[in-house]
Structures are given as C-alpha cells and as structure tokens.
C-alpha cells in the first residue's frame, strides 16, 4: 500500500537550467508512472509518456493554462487528456503493427490526481494508485500501449518509444514479463492533423531490443535511440526510411551486482547540446556515469 509514503509520488516537476527549482509538482499533469515529457511548439502542449510495467500504459498531453514559452515556465492548473484511437475502444497498440500504420486520434479528459492535493483519502493498494489516471481514460476507450518511455519533438511531431511493443496483443496484466510481448516500437504523433503513426517496429531482439530514451540532433531526420535490453545495449540511429545503424556500444560491466545474469548497464537520458555538436548520455547504474560524445555527426548521418 501507499501507507509509508510521506508525500504523494508520481508527479512531474520543472527543473530550470539555471537557478533553483521551486520544488512544486505540476499536479495537473497527472499522478501516474511518468517516464518522459516533451513540449511541442506546434500547439504549446506538453506530451507525456507512461511506463506502467505490469499494466497497459497511456499517451497523454497536458494543456497548461498558458504556453510555457510565453509564461516563462510550466504552470500548474491545466487539463490532462489521454489518447484514444478515433472510433476504436481500447485499441491494442501494444500489438504488432504494419510499418507506417496511421490512426486518426482523439483525446479524452481525465482527472489528474485524487483528492485535493494528490493524496488518496485512505490507504490504497499500490496497483490501484498506479492506475488511478489510466483507468479513467481506458473506461472512455483510451488506447493501450506497452511501456512508453522516451519522447522528443522533431520534424514537427512528437516521437516516443514503446519498449515492449510489437508482439502478440496482451490479454491482461503481466507482473512478470511486463505488459507487451515485442522487442519495441517507435511512434510519432502529429499535432497538426491529430494522427498517430507507427514509424518503426523491431523485427526481433537481435535488430533492436527494448528502445528507451530517444532524442534528435535536428529536424533533418535521424532519431537517436537508447537500448535497454538484457544483452548488449547500443545507442542506435534510426533514419527517416527506417534504417538502423550503430553509434555506440556499452561495454561497462563494473556496476554489475554479484552473480548478475545481465549487464545491468543502461543508456539513458540522451540529449544534444544546443549547438547540436555534443551528445550527452548517461549510464544508469549504481555508479552512474555521464558521457559527452562529439561528431562528426554529419558523417554518421545524424
């Protein structure tokens, strides 16, 4: 249960590049298993991914009271919505897709948190708390995804990864293997015409295994994906035409726990410097490491 939590967890916070955060959660952006947030200048909304391991995950957008670029910060007090495929109740998008499959979408309103400040009025089972927001959306037909993780805005669209998407459709929660039976998908949402497109689906773990964080150097076309699989983890490039190529391979094993059966070293948090010359990326482990990787990116096609 949540009885040992002194504060309601599961909100996003704004962390300024300079200065000090006010440490106040953006409660109206929802209390759920957040993974990534990406601001779209096309509509002024913040798009949010959910990595709810055992259960279906949703794709959300937060409509702040004012455009953050005008207000100077992300304001609380807006509206939260969840993606639904138009005309389809609870579309199983975690299931295998045809490359280029495109869906018209609509958005359903959901309550972002329980109570007056995000606290449940009584002791609540953690699984119920995890699904407080998502269950509302699915009751209105919101789509099922598998473990949504990284998100970035490029080419005028919001690109995001589905870590275990692309396999057989799930029939219910999976606390052991996680919700999703595939090796991973890359999706994009176009806010101009409200369409969702499957941009890439891994044919198997030997090609791309469990894509996680995603970024882009420019709008020229190439995405940069971080793998989070049980075998070798790569940073890979994904071109507009769906071609994958390797950028870096993680060989670190120093943080492995005793008798580990996997590396336990995950690329995470990839992002380019403002001038696009340096890629910063982390190794997520007990002894964390941050790398700075520089070009020539053009020769790689990034």
């Amino acid at each position: 249960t949540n009885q040992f939590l002194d504060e309601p967890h599961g909100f996003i916070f704004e962390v300024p590049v300079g200065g000090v955060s006010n440490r106040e959660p953006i409660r109206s952006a929802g209390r759920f298993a957040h993974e990534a947030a990406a601001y779209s200048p096309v509509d002024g909304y913040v798009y949010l991914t959910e990595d709810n391991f055992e259960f279906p995950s949703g794709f959300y957008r937060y409509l702040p009271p004012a455009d953050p670029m005008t207000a100077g910060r992300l304001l609380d007090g807006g509206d939260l919505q969840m993606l639904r495929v138009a005309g389809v109740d609870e579309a199983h998008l975690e299931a295998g897709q045809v490359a280029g499959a495109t869906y018209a979408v609509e958005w359903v309103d959901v309550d972002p948190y329980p109570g007056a400040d995000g606290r449940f009025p009584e002791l609540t089972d953690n699984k119920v708390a995890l699904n407080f927001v998502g269950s509302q959306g699915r009751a209105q037909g919101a789509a099922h995804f598998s473990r949504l993780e990284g998100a970035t805005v490029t080419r005028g669209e919001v690109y995001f990864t589905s870590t275990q998407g692309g396999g057989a459709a799930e029939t219910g929660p999976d606390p052991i293997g996680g919700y999703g039976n595939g090796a991973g998908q890359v999706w994009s949402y176009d806010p101009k015409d409200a369409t969702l497109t499957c941009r890439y689906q891994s044919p198997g773990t030997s090609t791309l295994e469990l894509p996680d964080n995603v970024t882009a150097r420019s709008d020229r076309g190439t995405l940069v994906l971080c793998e989070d699989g049980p075998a070798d983890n790569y940073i890979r490039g994904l071109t507009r035409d769906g071609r994958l190529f390797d950028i870096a391979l993680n060989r670190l094993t120093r943080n492995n726990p005793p008798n580990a059966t996997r590396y336990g070293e995950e690329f995470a948090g990839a992002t380019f410097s403002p001038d696009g010359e340096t890629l910063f990326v982390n190794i997520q482990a007990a002894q964390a490491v941050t790398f700075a990787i520089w070009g020539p990116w053009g020769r790689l096609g990034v």
Side-chain angles (χ1 to χ4, degrees):
T1 69
N2 285 281
Q3 60 181 309
F4 301 112
L5 299 182
D6 294 325
E7 297 291 340
H9 291 260
F11 293 114
I12 65 170
F13 293 77
E14 185 175 59
V15 181
V17 174
V20 179
S21 168
N22 63 14
R23 298 175 293 177
E24 291 296 324
I26 312 298
R27 290 185 176 88
S28 296
R31 184 185 180 189
F32 56 87
H34 287 280
E35 178 77 17
Y39 167 78
S40 171
V42 174
D43 52 16
Y45 301 156
V46 177
Y47 290 84
L48 307 160
T49 62
E50 178 182 29
D51 182 9
N52 197 351
F53 181 84
E54 180 179 347
F55 301 94
S57 294
F59 186 59
Y60 301 83
R61 68 179 184 184
Y62 174 56
L63 289 58
D67 189 317
M69 297 297 105
T70 301
R73 60 184 299 268
L74 182 61
L75 298 176
D76 200 0
D79 298 312
L80 183 65
Q81 298 179 325
M82 195 171 176
L83 181 143
R84 179 184 189 274
V85 173
V88 181
D89 285 335
E90 296 191 78
H92 279 261
L93 300 183
E94 86 285 351
Q97 303 289 319
V98 176
T102 300
Y103 301 91
V105 307
E106 52 197 24
W107 298 86
V108 298
D109 295 326
V110 291
D111 292 330
Y113 55 84
D117 61 356
R119 290 176 171 83
F120 288 91
E122 56 188 23
L123 294 183
T124 304
D125 180 83
N126 198 49
K127 294 182 179 182
V128 175
L130 276 171
N131 288 290
F132 172 80
V133 174
S135 292
Q136 296 176 58
R138 287 185 288 275
Q140 301 176 71
H144 292 218
F145 289 94
S146 166
R147 303 191 56 206
L148 298 186
E149 300 216 46
T152 193
V153 174
T154 186
R155 312 171 196 167
E157 299 186 38
V158 186
Y159 284 77
F160 58 98
T161 59
S162 172
T163 295
Q164 292 178 211
E170 284 283 10
T171 58
D174 185 350
I176 306 301
Y179 192 92
N181 296 302
Q185 298 165 324
V186 178
W187 293 88
S188 75
Y189 172 71
D190 188 341
K192 297 184 295 297
D193 59 11
T195 55
L196 178 74
T197 302
C198 182
R199 296 295 181 180
Y200 183 83
Q201 180 170 284
S202 175
T205 56
S206 61
T207 302
L208 178 68
E209 186 172 24
L210 309 186
D212 193 322
N213 289 170
V214 58
T215 191
R217 179 170 176 249
S218 71
D219 286 340
R220 292 193 307 172
T222 298
L223 298 177
V224 175
L225 301 170
C226 296
E227 278 187 317
D228 177 21
D232 287 341
N233 285 323
Y234 285 83
I235 300 174
R236 301 188 192 270
L238 178 63
T239 64
R240 277 185 183 269
D241 59 2
R243 181 177 60 88
L244 278 173
F245 61 90
D246 300 337
I247 295 175
L249 168 62
N250 177 19
R251 288 293 192 189
L252 289 182
T253 60
R254 63 177 184 162
N255 295 322
N256 283 355
N259 304 315
T261 58
R262 57 165 291 179
Y263 282 129
E265 305 285 352
E266 170 191 343
F267 279 123
T271 190
F272 279 94
S273 59
D275 63 7
E277 294 304 311
T278 305
L279 175 68
F280 294 96
V281 65
N282 305 316
I283 295 295
Q284 180 178 306
Q287 299 178 32
V289 184
T290 298
F291 291 97
I293 307 171
W294 53 94
W297 295 108
R299 194 188 313 175
L300 281 175
V302 176

